[in-house]
Amino acid sequence: MAMVDPDVRELEDAMEPIWEAARNLGLDPYPVHFELVPPSIMYEFGSYGLPGRFSHWSHGKVYHRMKTQYDYGLSKIYELVINTNPSYAFLMEGNSVLQNKLVIAHVLGHCDFFKHNAYFQATNRRMVETASLNASRIRDYEFEHGLSKVERFIDAVLSIQEHIDPQDARRPASREQNAAKDREEEANPTQKAAGQFDDLFGLTPDERPTRAERERERRAEQEREKRVPAQPEKDLVGFLMRHSRHLEPWQRDVMGIVREEMLYFVPQMQTKICNEGWASLSHSRILRELELTDSEYTEFAQLNAGVIAPHRHSINPYYLGVKLLEDIERRWDNPTEEEQTKWGREPGQGRRKLFEVREQENDVSIIRNYMTEQLVEDLDLYLYERQGDQWVIVDKNWENVRDQIVARMSNFGNPTILVEDGDYRNGELYLRHVHDGTDLDTVYAEKTLEYVYTLWGRPVNLETQLEDQPTVFTYDGGKHERETI
């Protein structure tokens, strides 16, 4: 009979008490399948994002960097959890039993968040199987078209993989809806068209749009509909996939694969602070409910302090997430007299409020709605910039600090690029950078235009601002041009 490692047995015995403690705290996670794996497997899954995902040199590059940092003791992955139902989580061999107990509790917090947060409700809960099927299709394409050709094409797609839009665009009223309005008006030609909400805005009959005015608007709408896209589109990957006349069927499929997998990761990108804060708050409270020895409590305190410690030059999402949630709980447990009078808050509602936040918020909304002046002061947050050879604090106003944190989260830290015209100058692509005060890296932008040209097959134009000057970059497949307009 094979001997069972006593550490593994202790870990197995701890599973049920950890689960019960999580349930007693009100967590309702997906069922979780845990696996104990060596560091090499942990870092392979970490670099690919999903087990069984398609192979690409960029994933190998991330794996090499992560593995090197682990080998030299510079960083370490403690947990990896996959948002599926049931969820999959991986514990690393070599972690102490207490470390893996903490990881199990942390994972249950994540899985509760995955299950209940609004931003995860549309995600594919069978993404492990989907990723495996996607990888199989790409391997077939590599066999049919050649490894180098497929990899070069994936290079081009991955260069713009962040430029997607998970939200459905708001569409204008259809022609059928406008025609129905006209038929209704023809039946009563003496009256002008009344909008559904005219009375709400206090419009008098004379202020309501006439049929002639609506006819002009409809002609303008028809002109917009002739354009491709009809209105600026944020989903660059999806637009190229649907409208490029240069792509072969297998290439459209590869673009669809990359886009599908990127959409799976978007909610995690939108909720990094909320998600990690919730998981960290959960693991700390779960472990306090367990029967730990004195040495385990000491190890837990040291490990937990390291997880949620503030970083000097960047925001630690674990730290900020926990502090935001703790502050929300405190404020709703102990509302001021003004809050009780003005908002009807009753004392002792902190835990209920935390579950409401867990269900409804993402990183932008939780910071925008719940970061206070006192919290910014307590966390010693400020804006700084490099001046010469030194980093200098430039602003400590709490609203400016809050707004700058939110701004840096816009589009996940990537520049926002809109597709303005897919038939510019007889088939060229015209893109526009939504300038937010930060200029594009011109070297990176020009290299990316080369990749976009690969996908579009015709000249590509990108409008932006450089040093407050409107500028258009153009790549025609052979040379780059830059024009100030």
Side-chain angles (χ1 to χ4, degrees), residues 173-298:
S174 67
R175 295 181 186 179
E176 290 75 12
Q177 289 171 315
N178 286 328
K181 288 182 182 179
D182 283 346
R183 287 194 295 271
E184 180 182 352
E185 194 169 308
E186 286 172 359
N188 194 354
T190 60
Q191 292 188 4
K192 296 180 180 179
Q196 182 180 359
F197 303 108
D198 281 356
D199 291 341
L200 291 176
F201 297 104
L203 296 180
T204 66
D206 290 337
E207 293 172 324
R208 295 168 186 162
T210 65
R211 181 178 179 184
E213 290 169 340
R214 284 210 343 276
E215 181 65 26
R216 286 194 295 271
E217 173 58 28
R218 185 169 61 203
R219 290 198 196 99
E221 179 185 319
Q222 290 173 351
E223 287 301 315
R224 289 193 297 270
E225 290 179 353
K226 291 179 182 178
R227 297 184 56 176
V228 179
Q231 55 187 349
E233 185 169 329
K234 185 180 177 183
D235 191 347
L236 176 58
V237 177
F239 179 85
L240 295 174
M241 178 183 69
R242 294 189 302 270
H243 296 287
S244 174
R245 291 172 286 181
H246 179 70
L247 300 178
E248 299 178 32
W250 71 268
Q251 293 173 317
R252 295 187 198 278
D253 188 34
V254 169
M255 292 192 74
I257 287 172
V258 172
R259 182 175 180 273
E260 176 185 33
E261 295 185 2
M262 194 64 194
L263 285 170
Y264 167 81
F265 290 113
V266 161
Q268 299 177 47
M269 298 162 66
Q270 291 174 315
T271 60
K272 180 70 172 176
I273 291 171
C274 291
N275 199 345
E276 294 298 356
W278 184 256
S280 299
L281 190 67
S282 298
H283 82 230
S284 64
R285 295 184 175 181
I286 289 171
L287 261 68
R288 292 187 185 117
E289 298 298 315
L290 303 182
E291 295 182 2
L292 303 180
T293 64
D294 291 345
S295 61
E296 285 180 321
Y297 269 117
T298 301

Side-chain angles (χ1 to χ4, degrees), residues 65-254:
R65 182 178 67 248
M66 296 171 66
K67 185 67 165 59
T68 300
Q69 290 177 333
Y70 169 75
D71 290 342
Y72 283 91
L74 300 176
S75 70
K76 182 178 182 179
I77 292 181
Y78 285 100
E79 53 87 16
L80 182 67
V81 58
I82 309 298
N83 170 30
T84 53
N85 182 17
S87 298
Y88 292 87
F90 303 92
L91 311 175
M92 192 181 330
E93 294 176 356
N95 284 350
S96 70
V97 174
L98 188 280
Q99 286 174 336
N100 277 332
K101 287 180 180 179
L102 184 146
V103 168
I104 293 170
H106 191 87
V107 163
L108 295 184
H110 277 311
C111 294
D112 175 80
F113 195 90
F114 292 152
K115 183 175 181 179
H116 296 282
N117 183 263
Y119 291 86
F120 286 86
Q121 298 315 299
T123 56
N124 181 355
R125 304 295 186 179
R126 298 182 60 83
M127 197 61 195
V128 172
E129 295 86 346
T130 300
S132 180
L133 293 172
N134 290 342
S136 177
R137 296 214 306 276
I138 289 180
R139 284 194 298 270
D140 290 342
Y141 295 142
E142 290 172 346
F143 179 80
E144 182 178 355
H145 302 284
L147 175 62
S148 60
K149 182 176 182 179
V150 173
E151 187 166 84
R152 285 197 304 271
F153 182 77
I154 294 177
D155 289 346
V157 182
L158 292 182
S159 73
I160 58 169
Q161 65 175 334
E162 295 89 358
H163 296 283
I164 58 176
D165 186 3
Q167 305 297 326
D168 289 332
R170 294 177 62 187
R171 302 184 185 277
S174 67
R175 295 181 186 179
E176 290 75 12
Q177 289 171 315
N178 286 328
K181 288 182 182 179
D182 283 346
R183 287 194 295 271
E184 180 182 352
E185 194 169 308
E186 286 172 359
N188 194 354
T190 60
Q191 292 188 4
K192 296 180 180 179
Q196 182 180 359
F197 303 108
D198 281 356
D199 291 341
L200 291 176
F201 297 104
L203 296 180
T204 66
D206 290 337
E207 293 172 324
R208 295 168 186 162
T210 65
R211 181 178 179 184
E213 290 169 340
R214 284 210 343 276
E215 181 65 26
R216 286 194 295 271
E217 173 58 28
R218 185 169 61 203
R219 290 198 196 99
E221 179 185 319
Q222 290 173 351
E223 287 301 315
R224 289 193 297 270
E225 290 179 353
K226 291 179 182 178
R227 297 184 56 176
V228 179
Q231 55 187 349
E233 185 169 329
K234 185 180 177 183
D235 191 347
L236 176 58
V237 177
F239 179 85
L240 295 174
M241 178 183 69
R242 294 189 302 270
H243 296 287
S244 174
R245 291 172 286 181
H246 179 70
L247 300 178
E248 299 178 32
W250 71 268
Q251 293 173 317
R252 295 187 198 278
D253 188 34
V254 169

